[in-house]
Amino acid sequence: RVHSHLHLNACCSMVGAVLSHSTHGVGCCSCAVTVGGPKVKATSPCRILCTRGTPLRKRVAAASDAPVKVLTGEEIIDGCIRKVQQVNSYTMSDFVPLHLENRGIGCVHNSFRHKLEKYSGIFLMDHARNVMSLHHSLQTYQDRTDAVGLVMTDLKEQGLIKGWRGELMPCVTAFDEEPLLAVERAVIPVLGFKGYGVHMNAYTKDKSGKKKLWVAKRSLDKPTWPGKLDHLAAGGQPLGMTPIDNMVKEAWEEAGIPEELARQAACVGALSYRQQLGTGEDGRALGIKRDTLFCFDLELPEDFEPVAMDGEVESFQLMDIDDVIYQVVCTDNFKPNCNLVIVHWLVRHGYMQPHERRYLELLKLLQGPELR
């Protein structure tokens, strides 16, 4: 695996690209490598050339005598670990537990719980124990759903909860439990409830076995992560639907994949993460994502062309795997939780090897703290 930073002539010979740069050399902000001048931010994407064996130092040397930066398999794993750690960044002391009848169901940021305390008929704060609870009078699923929904709608109208979707999600402490209540999707991280979703790695394979991954670019109108790279299809897990049925629905809505083809997708596991959100400087709700993602693989025909059916995708790209690795390891272009699912795909498809340092550490981190 090579992360190459080549002088103009070498770059042309390697990838057929033509780069123009006047008085500076070509550099890369991620690797601190400079050729022909002072270090500057690269004006075009650096390339990663991948193989399943030894780094391609000899092949690059044969093409040019220009200096190169070699990114080994271990360095790729290090980069992937950094991305997994980025979506597992949180400080639990910033939150108070949220209980239902002495059972932990979520958590609320300290800066936001004061707003909930104003609704004392629904949220009770025990300062001695530093625990917030749903009011004991809320005995049924419907009681809790209605009461919490009224509070959250009021907070939304005050401008304190953004990204309202109009989609109800279940509140559970484990996936196979009966829901304790249902809440608006945007509320899940605000109250620190567990969330679930489905993500599809859709790829093609040519006659030689070379694979490419379909990548979507999110619409600039999306309330979350506008313009970021994303999977071909993904979505939150709503009430009353199985993960595979949800995946089929999302595949049609986001990429125009017909049901008979989408149902060929194989669920290949699940990952989880815990990520603290926001800064609170604009007065909005601070929250934490405690998500579990069901991962699906779908091999698509080489001639398949995705079509955005719901307006949530700006464009699609069939991306070489070396470019996918570059985007994951060396940029922040992907929506953060997509990095986890793509890394999982790269591991399963043999783009990282078990003899490489930190391989098992990466696998353990991918499972995350919320896998239940």
Side-chain angles (χ1 to χ4, degrees):
R1 296 172 176 82
V2 178
H3 190 175
S4 54
H5 303 264
L6 308 177
H7 189 269
L8 179 60
N9 292 335
C11 189
C12 290
S13 66
M14 287 292 293
V15 297
V18 178
L19 305 177
S20 61
H21 211 283
S22 57
T23 59
H24 301 289
V26 178
C28 175
C29 56
S30 63
C31 294
V33 173
T34 309
V35 178
K39 179 186 172 184
V40 296
K41 185 174 181 179
T43 56
S44 63
C46 305
R47 300 281 295 175
I48 294 176
L49 307 179
C50 296
T51 181
R52 298 189 185 185
T54 306
L56 299 179
R57 186 185 302 272
K58 292 183 179 179
R59 188 180 301 179
V60 173
S64 171
D65 292 332
V68 297
K69 163 68 177 178
V70 177
L71 188 65
T72 66
E74 292 180 358
E75 289 171 323
I76 291 176
I77 290 178
D78 287 343
C80 290
I81 286 176
R82 286 194 298 272
K83 289 304 171 72
V84 176
Q85 290 172 335
Q86 284 177 10
V87 291
N88 281 283
S89 175
Y90 54 91
T91 304
M92 290 310 298
S93 60
D94 290 345
F95 296 83
V96 295
L98 177 60
H99 283 193
L100 173 62
E101 298 176 350
N102 295 317
R103 177 187 182 187
I105 61 172
C107 55
V108 179
H109 197 274
N110 287 313
S111 67
F112 192 69
R113 67 177 174 86
H114 304 293
K115 297 178 175 63
L116 297 182
E117 288 182 69
K118 298 175 183 178
Y119 304 89
S120 57
I122 299 171
F123 292 94
L124 294 175
M125 184 64 199
D126 184 338
H127 291 278
R129 298 169 54 216
N130 197 38
V131 171
M132 179 168 277
S133 300
L134 291 182
H135 199 279
H136 54 78
S137 65
L138 304 175
Q139 290 293 306
T140 69
Y141 168 91
Q142 198 60 52
D143 288 343
R144 294 186 285 267
T145 297
D146 292 343
V148 173
L150 285 173
V151 173
M152 296 302 140
T153 299
D154 191 39
L155 293 172
K156 178 196 73 169
E157 292 172 354
Q158 297 176 42
L160 297 176
I161 299 178
K162 302 295 186 181
W164 200 270
R165 308 288 189 88
E167 301 175 26
L168 286 179
M169 299 290 181
C171 167
V172 296
T173 58
F175 184 72
D176 54 1
E177 289 183 351
E178 286 296 316
L180 302 169
L181 68 153
V183 295
E184 151 65 30
R185 179 174 176 176
V187 170
I188 290 285
V190 174
L191 297 181
F193 292 156
K194 279 190 59 60
Y196 296 87
V198 293
H199 281 238
M200 175 188 287
N201 280 307
Y203 63 98
T204 63
K205 186 166 60 176
D206 64 20
K207 293 179 181 178
S208 69
K210 182 181 179 181
K211 297 172 184 175
K212 295 184 178 182
L213 193 70
W214 275 108
V215 173
K217 183 178 181 181
R218 293 166 69 86
S219 168
L220 296 176
D221 296 327
K222 291 281 286 184
T224 56
W225 306 109
K228 288 288 187 180
L229 299 182
D230 204 338
H231 284 101
L232 191 63
Q237 182 62 34
L239 276 167
M241 186 176 290
T242 66
I244 182 60
D245 287 339
N246 187 30
M247 190 75 266
V248 169
K249 176 183 76 71
E250 295 290 345
W252 171 253
E253 291 177 353
E254 297 190 348
I257 303 176
E259 179 174 353
E260 61 272 19
L261 180 56
R263 287 201 176 275
Q264 297 177 25
C267 187
V268 293
L271 313 171
S272 76
Y273 64 97
R274 185 183 295 167
Q275 181 184 26
Q276 190 165 337
L277 301 177
T279 63
E281 295 174 357
D282 57 0
R284 294 186 350 179
L286 285 167
I288 187 167
K289 290 178 70 66
R290 302 172 52 221
D291 288 357
T292 296
L293 306 178
F294 294 100
C295 306
F296 290 81
D297 278 5
L298 178 62
E299 183 178 343
L300 291 170
E302 283 190 84
D303 60 354
F304 178 82
E305 292 288 341
V307 177
M309 308 297 285
D310 61 4
E312 294 189 0
V313 175
E314 180 178 303
S315 61
F316 299 99
Q317 179 182 356
L318 188 58
M319 191 175 288
D320 289 337
I321 303 305
D322 55 346
D323 291 330
V324 172
I325 295 174
Y326 164 72
Q327 294 292 340
V328 170
V329 173
C330 300
T331 81
D332 293 320
N333 291 336
F334 269 105
K335 180 170 170 276
N337 64 357
C338 292
N339 287 320
L340 275 71
V341 184
I342 293 173
V343 169
H344 187 246
W345 187 90
L346 292 169
V347 170
R348 290 183 293 101
H349 287 256
Y351 292 94
M352 299 174 213
Q353 299 301 317
H355 67 270
E356 291 163 345
R357 185 179 58 85
R358 306 184 78 189
Y359 178 87
L360 292 178
E361 179 184 352
L362 175 60
L363 268 58
K364 183 177 181 180
L365 286 172
L366 284 171
Q367 295 179 18
E370 298 288 347
L371 198 62
R372 57 185 181 277

